Amino acid sequence: MDYQKLAELLFPGVTQTPADMEAKFPPRNLPEGAKVTRFAPSPTGFVHFGGLFPTTIGERLAHQSGGVLYLRIEDTDAKREVDGAAEGLIKTLAHYGIHFDEGAVIGEDGNICDKGIYGPYRQSQRGPIYHVYAKQLVSEGKAYPVFTTQEELDALNAVDKKAEIKAKDWHEDQTAQKEAMLKARAITMEEVEENLKAGNPFVLRLLADGDPEKKTPFTDLIKGKLEIPENDEDFVLLKSDGIPTYHFAHAVDDHLMGTTHVIRGEEWLPSLAKHIMLFRYLGFRMPKYMHIAQIMRLDENGNKKKLSKRDMGANMDDYSRMGYAPACVCEYIMTLLNSNYEEWHMQNADKPYTDFPFNIKKMSSSGCLFDFNKLNDVSKNVISRMSADEVYEQATAWALEFDPEFGKKLAATPDFAKTIFAIGRGGKKPRKDFATWADVKPYMGFFYDYEQIDTFAGEHDQETVKKALSLFLGSYDPADDMNGWFEKVKAVAREIGYCDDMKAYKADPTAFPGNIADVSMFLRVAVTGKLNAPDLYTVMQILGEAETRARIENMIQTI
Ligand code: GLU
């Protein structure tokens, strides 16, 4: 077979050569050891937690080595593409602070465009580039066409949209498959010419020279040393519409874009043999690979399950709705990524996570366990270290979107809200009040909307409660400092016969009908309508004398 002629027949319009491509996309000029990583999502839906996770690894590896992180949109499967998904995922990733140095970005006009010289960064626009390499493989006898008629193709696609790639008839039985493959390989020049003349479509298959009995040693940076059986499948490179399969696009793009580290899900491990072969055939140097295990979760019975698309916590948009701050989610991902992160963080509480020396070797090779409780813990810590201004900005932005009524209240009086957020903030042991912005209203909504509750029924004599509240009002002076205020609460306790000292009370609880904590509780319930609230002295200071008195009086009336 004259392969050169075959290549010309199949790709008459391709005039450029691999050398032209190499010249157009030269090796990157980066410092020694700089890593080039990418996130390469298919725009078929939302960003999954299992997608942000490897992206964070890629981001860390690239940026802590002075390298490049880029975004490539793998939109070769138009049938699975979801409208607006590409824009959505670019926005979501930006929300989580993932900074791409180049790739697909949203331009000023709101449409996706390219930033960087290694583009286009959407595979759907790279057709001519793939065809250059396809033509080369054909001209070297490493790939060949398999023709069908349009009718056959339509029939196949009606049954299974991916039929031409899966080539079902090849897989059903090994012997039949081999035979079909050999027959397809033996296509003659006349047959090719006839088919082309008839306008029949073809898929391009790689001519595999592997022997699955033989194994190639391979080191995955997470999975360690592996033995990969050689590939003997003539897999599809180009579909009948000329669009590449994942395998082919992966090899061409990651080569031309200079990727040094491919970080992807372990579901790609079984395809690795194909990729090893493809890189060899194309004469490309292979990047390093990290195959990430699926994220796990615990089900109701405590069993580990894969975190699937439908699970709560899978869709990154869920986190925004639930009110998680991006910084909290990123911090949580860091704790999952490197076992020593938390320890480092305790010693370097004031440093951003980007200062942490992320290390591939400290990653677990089995799936990380996703856990909301842990996320909430991490989140509370992160928010407790934010300034009142920061908390105000983020909580208000969240509330305006997801709880506008409350959001508008926060936005109406920023200084008032910030004073509230400042309670217990700063210092060595800041209050850990919020895991999400949705926790803000239950915690401090009473400053705005006050709903009176009565929780004294049964437990305390109502007349005593009333008396305590009246006594407090009698002595209350907003000019008191915290000590002065507390002394007055103690005095109230004594006057109603309650113990004003917790130690003494605990020594003999039967000696008193109640204690100072009960009195504080009466006041707290009266003023905040809640059993749990921030420091009551401060609350009264913020509410001001009139409001404080009104609320206590109101309570006295209702009892
Ligand atoms: N588009 C592929 C996916 O979404 C990318 C895999 C890769 O990172 O190479 O699974």
Side-chain angles (χ1 to χ4, degrees), residues 114-362:
D114 287 327
K115 175 182 162 197
I117 59 158
Y118 290 87
Y121 295 91
R122 272 163 292 172
Q123 289 184 328
S124 58
Q125 301 189 348
R126 297 175 63 80
I129 301 177
Y130 304 121
H131 288 193
V132 167
Y133 288 95
K135 185 173 185 180
Q136 179 205 359
L137 289 174
V138 174
S139 73
E140 292 170 350
K142 292 173 182 160
Y144 62 92
V146 180
F147 287 91
T148 44
T149 62
Q150 191 58 50
E151 295 73 45
E152 281 168 347
L153 190 63
D154 292 345
L156 269 178
N157 277 334
V159 183
D160 178 347
K161 289 196 161 62
K162 282 195 160 177
E164 64 175 84
I165 300 180
K166 287 198 213 150
K168 274 193 161 173
D169 51 336
W170 287 30
H171 283 265
E172 263 160 24
D173 128 28
Q174 289 283 323
T175 332
Q177 175 178 326
K178 270 264 141 55
E179 264 172 37
M181 197 170 90
L182 291 176
K183 191 163 154 247
R185 283 180 179 186
I187 190 164
T188 63
M189 195 65 85
E190 290 75 56
E191 285 168 329
V192 171
E193 283 172 329
E194 266 166 38
N195 272 292
L196 287 175
K197 212 181 211 169
N200 288 337
F202 67 89
V203 298
L204 191 72
R205 286 184 180 272
L206 184 94
L207 198 150
D209 68 356
D211 172 0
E213 298 296 316
K214 290 197 198 136
K215 304 233 159 78
T216 317
F218 187 89
T219 304
D220 181 274
L221 294 185
I222 291 183
K223 302 273 172 202
K225 286 198 165 51
L226 305 170
E227 298 259 298
I228 311 288
E230 288 181 5
N231 169 61
D232 67 339
E233 185 190 325
D234 286 1
F235 60 91
V236 175
L237 300 175
L238 292 179
K239 294 176 265 184
S240 57
D241 52 9
I243 295 195
T245 54
Y246 168 79
H247 312 300
F248 191 40
H250 156 50
V252 171
D253 291 349
D254 280 313
H255 168 71
L256 289 180
M257 295 180 178
T259 309
T260 62
H261 289 65
V262 170
I263 304 158
R264 64 184 180 187
E266 66 183 359
E267 67 273 16
W268 292 108
L269 258 183
S271 306
L272 193 56
K274 294 189 174 99
H275 305 154
I276 294 175
M277 174 166 282
L278 204 39
F279 275 82
R280 172 162 63 83
Y281 276 21
L282 289 163
F284 298 161
R285 190 173 147 188
M286 281 198 101
K288 293 200 163 65
Y289 286 83
M290 295 170 68
H291 286 95
I292 312 275
Q294 270 264 1
I295 310 268
M296 310 298 278
R297 67 172 176 96
L298 289 181
D299 70 5
E300 313 69 49
N301 307 318
N303 298 320
K304 279 192 178 183
K305 285 258 162 67
K306 284 184 178 166
L307 181 72
S308 87
K309 269 194 202 165
R310 277 168 297 277
D311 289 329
M312 194 44 160
N315 183 346
M316 289 320 296
D317 296 336
D318 290 344
Y319 294 84
S320 313
R321 257 192 301 281
M322 290 186 279
Y324 284 100
C328 300
V329 178
C330 293
E331 182 87 7
Y332 174 55
I333 290 184
M334 290 306 293
T335 65
L336 288 179
L337 281 183
N338 263 193
S339 46
N340 56 329
Y341 177 74
E342 276 180 278
E343 199 190 322
W344 174 87
H345 192 73
M346 275 198 267
Q347 285 153 11
N348 299 277
D350 48 345
K351 291 195 181 144
Y353 75 85
T354 42
D355 280 9
F356 170 71
F358 171 72
N359 187 343
I360 301 175
K361 293 202 181 82
K362 292 244 159 58

